[in-house]
Amino acid sequence: MYRLTLKCLALKLLLLISCDARHSVYWRGNRRSIAEGGSSGTFNVLDYGAKGDGTSDDTKAFEDAWNEACKVAASTLLVPSGSTFLVGPVSFLGKECKENIVFQLDGKIIAPKSSRAWGSGLLQWIEFKSLIGITIKGKGVIDGQGSVWWNKSPDYDPADDNDMVILNSISLMKDQKGTKMPGAKPTALRFYGSNGVMVNGITIQNSPQTHLKFDNCVNIQVSDFTTSSPGDSPNTDGIHLQNSQDAVIYRSTLACGDDCISIQTGCSNIYIHDVDCGPGHGISIGGLGKENTKACVSNITVRDVTMHETTNGVRIKSWQGGSGSVKQVMFSNIQVSEVANPIVIDQYYCDGGGCHNETSAVAVSNINYINIKGTYTREPVRFACSDSLPCTGISLSTIELKPATDKASSSEPFCWEAHGELKTETLPPIQCLKTEKSTSQSSNDAC
C-alpha cells in the first residue's frame, strides 16, 4: 500500500512538471500577443516581419498582417507601441475581408520622404476600401512628414479628387535629396466605399494634404481624434467628407492649414460637436458646384465648437454656375476668438482666378445661427448670395461678435440678396438682412 502511494505521488509530480514545461513553451511562443492583451484573433505586424526601426520599409509586413486578419471576423491588426514603422503607399482592401476588423494603432507610422516611393503621384497614402465595420483606434500617430511636399506646392482642392486626375500636367517639387516629388499630394488616411467606420483616439500630423478623408461612406464615427499641422501648410484639411452620410464627429482637436472640417457634395446627416478648431480655415460646407456641377448637402448640425485664430468660422461656399442645394443647416454654440470672418455665406466663391459670372447657383436655404459669440479681426458677418437665386430662410439668434482690435471695429455685417429673420437683437446689428419672403426657386436646385 505504501509503495503504491509513492508511485501515485511520483506520477502526479511528473505530470505537474510536464504541464509546467508545456505552459512555459506556450508563454514564450505567445508572449507578445498576451502582453498586448491579444488572442488568436490578433495579428501583430512584428510577427510578419516589420522592424519598427523607422528606417526599414515595413509596408509588406503590414500587407501580410492585413491579409491574415481579413480572414477572421472581428480580428485585430496590431501596430504595437514603442516602435516607429516606415510604411509606403498601401491599400487595405475589403473585398475578401470579414466584417468588423480593428486596426489597433498604438505605435507610430511615418511616410517615406523619398519621391521613389510615390511614383508619378498618388491621391492617398493609407487607404481602407470597401469594408463593413472597420475601426482604427489607439493612442498612436500617423505622421505624413509633409514638409517635403509643402514648399512651393501647387494649389490643390481635395474636393476635386477624381481617380482620373491627369497627373502628368501637375508641377513637381523637390524632396530633401534633390529628387522631384510629384505635385499630387496624398491624403494621409482615406476611407472609401465603407459602411460602419470608426476612428478613435489616434493622431494624424503633418499630412502632405488632407489628414482624414471619407468618400462614399456611411455610418461614420470620429471621436477623440487629433490633427496637427502648421497653419501655413497648404490644403491640409483636418477632416474631409464627400458623398458620405450619417456621420458624427466629436471630442476632437483639429489644427491644420485649411478647413478643420470640410463638407462636400453628397453629404447628409452630419453631426459635429465638441470640436476645437485652430489654426485653420474654420468649418466649411463647400466649395460646391464647381465647373457647373450639381451639389446636394442637407441636414448638417455643428454645435459646441471653439475656434481660435482661424480665417473663417462657420462658412458655406459655392461657385457660380452650379446647381443643387444646401439646406437644413444648424450652427449653434460657436465660440470664436480672433477669427477673421466668423459667419460666411459666399455664393461667389472663386479660388485661383479665372472665374466667370454665371446666373445659375447652388440654392442655400434654412440656415440657422444660434448663440455665436466672440471676437473677429476682419468682418463679423458676410452673406454674399446669388442675384438669380437668393439665400432664403436665414435665421439668427444671440449673435454677439466684437472686434478683437481697433482696426476691425469699423467693419459691419455685409448682406447681398440674403433673406431671413433676426430672432433676437444682434451685436453688431445686422440691418442688411432682407425680410423673409417666398421666393420661387429654380428647378435645378432639386436634390
Side-chain angles (χ1 to χ4, degrees):
M1 182 70 179
Y2 179 70
R3 289 181 179 178
L4 183 60
T5 302
L6 285 176
K7 286 183 179 179
C8 289
L9 288 172
L11 182 59
K12 288 181 178 180
L13 182 60
L14 286 171
L15 288 171
L16 285 171
I17 293 172
S18 176
C19 182
D20 285 344
R22 286 197 301 271
H23 178 74
S24 178
V25 171
Y26 175 83
W27 170 256
R28 288 197 301 271
N30 294 272
R31 62 189 183 278
R32 185 175 294 125
S33 62
I34 292 173
E36 297 287 352
S39 66
S40 59
T42 297
F43 300 84
N44 191 326
V45 294
L46 292 176
D47 293 334
Y48 291 84
K51 302 298 182 184
D53 57 14
T55 57
S56 302
D57 186 353
D58 290 327
T59 309
K60 187 176 185 303
F62 275 65
E63 292 173 333
D64 290 345
W66 176 261
N67 290 336
E68 291 302 310
C70 272
K71 300 174 184 178
V72 182
S75 64
T76 297
L77 187 151
L78 176 63
V79 182
S81 61
S83 298
T84 299
F85 300 91
L86 176 64
V87 177
V90 60
S91 290
F92 298 114
L93 305 180
K95 186 177 181 181
E96 305 296 331
C97 281
K98 302 292 185 179
E99 297 182 3
N100 301 320
I101 296 176
V102 175
F103 191 101
Q104 181 70 38
L105 177 60
D106 294 326
K108 185 175 185 179
I109 299 174
I110 61 173
K113 291 183 177 181
S114 170
S115 62
R116 291 189 299 272
W118 303 100
S120 60
L122 295 169
L123 296 179
Q124 54 272 329
W125 167 30
I126 300 172
E127 179 185 42
F128 291 87
K129 186 175 182 180
S130 303
L131 289 152
I132 298 176
I134 175 67
T135 295
I136 178 167
K137 66 185 182 74
K139 300 299 181 183
V141 174
I142 295 174
D143 189 340
Q145 305 201 93
S147 60
V148 296
W149 302 81
W150 297 334
N151 294 333
K152 298 180 181 179
S153 169
D155 289 335
Y156 180 70
D157 185 349
D160 295 338
D161 275 3
N162 187 312
D163 290 339
M164 301 302 293
V165 169
I166 300 174
L167 300 174
N168 294 334
S169 64
I170 301 176
S171 60
L172 299 173
M173 298 165 289
K174 291 186 176 181
D175 65 15
Q176 292 180 342
K177 296 182 180 179
T179 57
K180 292 180 179 180
M181 298 294 283
K185 299 177 293 181
T187 289
L189 177 60
R190 180 202 190 204
F191 292 89
Y192 179 84
S194 296
N195 186 340
V197 183
M198 180 181 292
V199 177
N200 173 260
I202 69 168
T203 295
I204 303 178
Q205 63 190 31
N206 301 319
S207 177
Q209 196 241 123
T210 298
H211 290 77
L212 175 62
K213 182 176 182 181
F214 299 95
D215 200 344
N216 287 89
C217 293
V218 295
N219 299 321
I220 300 162
Q221 179 175 307
V222 179
S223 61
D224 300 294
F225 171 65
T226 300
T227 61
S228 179
S229 288
D232 60 354
S233 56
N235 305 112
T236 54
D237 293 63
I239 301 174
H240 184 94
L241 299 121
Q242 186 166 325
N243 296 314
S244 295
Q245 300 84 41
D246 304 321
V248 57
I249 300 169
Y250 63 100
R251 246 184 5 242
S252 295
T253 301
L254 308 174
C256 56
D258 210 300
D259 294 326
C260 292
I261 300 176
S262 173
I263 301 168
Q264 296 294 329
T265 185
C267 289
S268 61
N269 302 328
I270 309 297
Y271 182 32
I272 299 164
H273 67 93
D274 296 286
V275 168
D276 181 88
C277 168
H281 293 181
I283 294 178
S284 294
I285 298 173
L288 303 173
K290 186 175 182 180
E291 297 177 350
N292 306 108
T293 56
K294 185 175 183 177
C296 297
V297 175
S298 64
N299 196 16
I300 310 296
T301 298
V302 179
R303 70 166 180 84
D304 301 321
V305 170
T306 59
M307 298 187 183
H308 45 91
E309 299 177 11
T310 56
T311 56
N312 298 285
V314 290
R315 176 171 57 155
I316 298 171
K317 52 181 178 174
S318 65
W319 298 74
Q320 293 185 72
S323 62
S325 66
V326 178
K327 58 186 178 182
Q328 298 172 353
V329 178
M330 172 77 75
F331 299 114
S332 68
N333 299 334
I334 312 293
Q335 185 68 42
V336 297
S337 176
E338 297 188 45
V339 169
N341 310 290
I343 298 175
V344 179
I345 296 177
D346 184 4
Q347 287 186 286
Y348 298 90
Y349 180 72
C350 179
D351 185 15
C355 300
H356 304 284
N357 289 329
E358 302 273 1
T359 55
S360 63
V362 177
V364 177
S365 63
N366 297 325
I367 314 299
N368 301 286
Y369 302 90
I370 301 173
N371 194 32
I372 300 178
K373 300 179 179 181
T375 60
Y376 67 92
T377 61
R378 189 179 303 161
E379 189 176 45
V381 177
R382 184 173 185 84
F383 295 136
C385 299
S386 167
D387 286 324
S388 58
L389 204 59
C391 301
T392 61
I394 297 174
S395 171
L396 298 108
S397 174
T398 318
I399 308 299
E400 297 180 10
L401 298 171
K402 301 177 182 179
T405 64
D406 292 338
K407 185 177 180 180
S409 62
S410 60
S411 298
E412 295 182 358
F414 173 85
C415 305
W416 182 263
E417 291 299 337
H419 299 260
E421 64 175 326
L422 304 178
K423 293 192 173 182
T424 68
E425 292 184 357
T426 63
L427 180 69
I430 304 176
Q431 299 174 340
C432 56
L433 191 68
K434 293 185 177 181
T435 303
E436 186 64 88
K437 63 179 181 180
S438 60
T439 304
S440 59
Q441 301 289 323
S442 171
S443 61
N444 73 349
D445 69 348
C447 283

